[in-house]
C-alpha cells in the first residue's frame, strides 16, 4: 500500500511542477487527482497509525485540520513555482527576482516546520508521543517524496 501511495504522490508532485514548465493540465483533472491523493494519503496514515477507537475519534479531526492548513502552504508553494516558471520561461532570471523567489521558498519551508510543531503539540494532547512521532514521520516521508519529485522537474536558476 505504501508503494502505491508513493507512486500516486510522486505522480501528483510531477503534475504540480511539470505544468509550470510545460503544457497546463486541465483544472478538472487536477481536482480529481488532488482528491484521489488525499484519499490515498488518508488510507496510508490510517494503515500505519494503529489507533484505538478512542484515539481515532480524537486524531482524525486534528488530521483534517492539519491537512487544511497544509493545503494553504501547498498553494503558496504552487504560486512560488508558478512565478519561478514564468521567470524561467521568460529568459535569464534577475538577482531581484531570484531573491524574491528564494525568500518565498524559504518562507514556505519555515511555515511547514511551524505547522508541524504546532500540530505535534496538539496531537500530543490526544495521542501517546510515539504515535505523534509516527504521524509526523509519515507526513515528513510523504512531503520528502513530493519535494524530491518536484526537484527533479524544476530546473536550476541561471
Amino acid at each position: 500500500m505504501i508503494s502505491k501511495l508513493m507512486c500516486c504522490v510522486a505522480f501528483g508532485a510531477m503534475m504540480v511542477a511539470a505544468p509550470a514548465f510545460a503544457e497546463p493540465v486541465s483544472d478538472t483533472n487536477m481536482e480529481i487527482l488532488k482528491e484521489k491523493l488525499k484519499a490515498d494519503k488518508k488510507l496510508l496514515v490510517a494503515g500505519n497509525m494503529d489507533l484505538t477507537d478512542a484515539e481515532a475519534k480524537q486524531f482524525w479531526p486534528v488530521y483534517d485540520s492539519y491537512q487544511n492548513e497544509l493545503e494553504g502552504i501547498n498553494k503558496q508553494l504552487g504560486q512560488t513555482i508558478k512565478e519561478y516558471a514564468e521567470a524561467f520561461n521568460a529568459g535569464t532570471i534577475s538577482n531581484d527576482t531570484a531573491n524574491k523567489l528564494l525568500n518565498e521558498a524559504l518562507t514556505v519551508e519555515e511555515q511547514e516546520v511551524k505547522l508541524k510543531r504546532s500540530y505535534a503539540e496538539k496531537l500530543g494532547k490526544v495521542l501517546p508521543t510515539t504515535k505523534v512521532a509516527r504521524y509526523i514521520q509519515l507526513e515528513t516521508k510523504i512531503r520528502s517524496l513530493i519535494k524530491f519529485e518536484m526537484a527533479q522537474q524544476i530546473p536550476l536558476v541561471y
Side-chain angles (χ1 to χ4, degrees):
M1 180 153 88
I2 290 175
S3 63
K4 179 182 175 187
L5 175 70
M6 294 305 173
C7 288
C8 289
V9 169
F11 181 71
M14 290 186 300
M15 297 298 289
V16 169
F21 295 94
E23 283 186 39
V25 177
S26 77
D27 289 343
T28 302
N29 288 342
M30 287 298 289
E31 279 304 311
I32 291 169
L33 177 62
K34 192 164 81 169
E35 291 307 313
K36 170 84 170 110
L37 292 173
K38 283 181 185 180
D40 286 350
K41 180 180 179 182
K42 198 167 192 172
L43 281 174
L44 176 73
V45 170
N48 283 280
M49 287 301 295
D50 194 29
L51 299 170
T52 67
D53 289 342
E55 290 170 341
K57 192 178 269 189
Q58 301 226 346
F59 171 78
W60 291 111
V62 178
Y63 171 89
D64 290 336
S65 179
Y66 179 83
Q67 297 307 308
N68 287 336
E69 289 193 48
L70 188 58
E71 191 168 328
I73 292 172
N74 290 340
K75 285 180 182 177
Q76 188 175 358
L77 177 60
Q79 182 60 36
T80 301
I81 292 170
K82 182 180 175 192
E83 289 175 24
Y84 173 60
E86 289 169 358
F88 182 87
N89 290 333
T92 305
I93 295 174
S94 71
N95 282 329
D96 289 341
T97 300
N99 187 50
K100 177 184 178 284
L101 293 169
L102 176 61
N103 284 326
E104 288 175 9
L106 291 174
T107 297
V108 167
E109 293 286 332
E110 290 167 350
Q111 288 175 341
E112 190 174 334
V113 170
K114 285 179 185 175
L115 186 65
K116 278 184 188 177
R117 283 192 188 281
S118 168
Y119 275 85
E121 192 175 307
K122 290 176 184 181
L123 287 169
K125 295 176 183 174
V126 299
L127 293 178
T129 306
T130 54
K131 290 185 180 181
V132 173
R134 185 180 313 146
Y135 174 65
I136 296 300
Q137 280 181 308
L138 288 167
E139 283 291 340
T140 300
K141 286 180 181 218
I142 292 166
R143 300 287 291 175
S144 295
L145 180 61
I146 290 169
K147 288 177 183 181
F148 175 76
E149 292 295 332
M150 285 192 309
Q152 289 185 312
Q153 299 294 318
I154 299 172
L156 293 174
V157 174
Y158 285 99

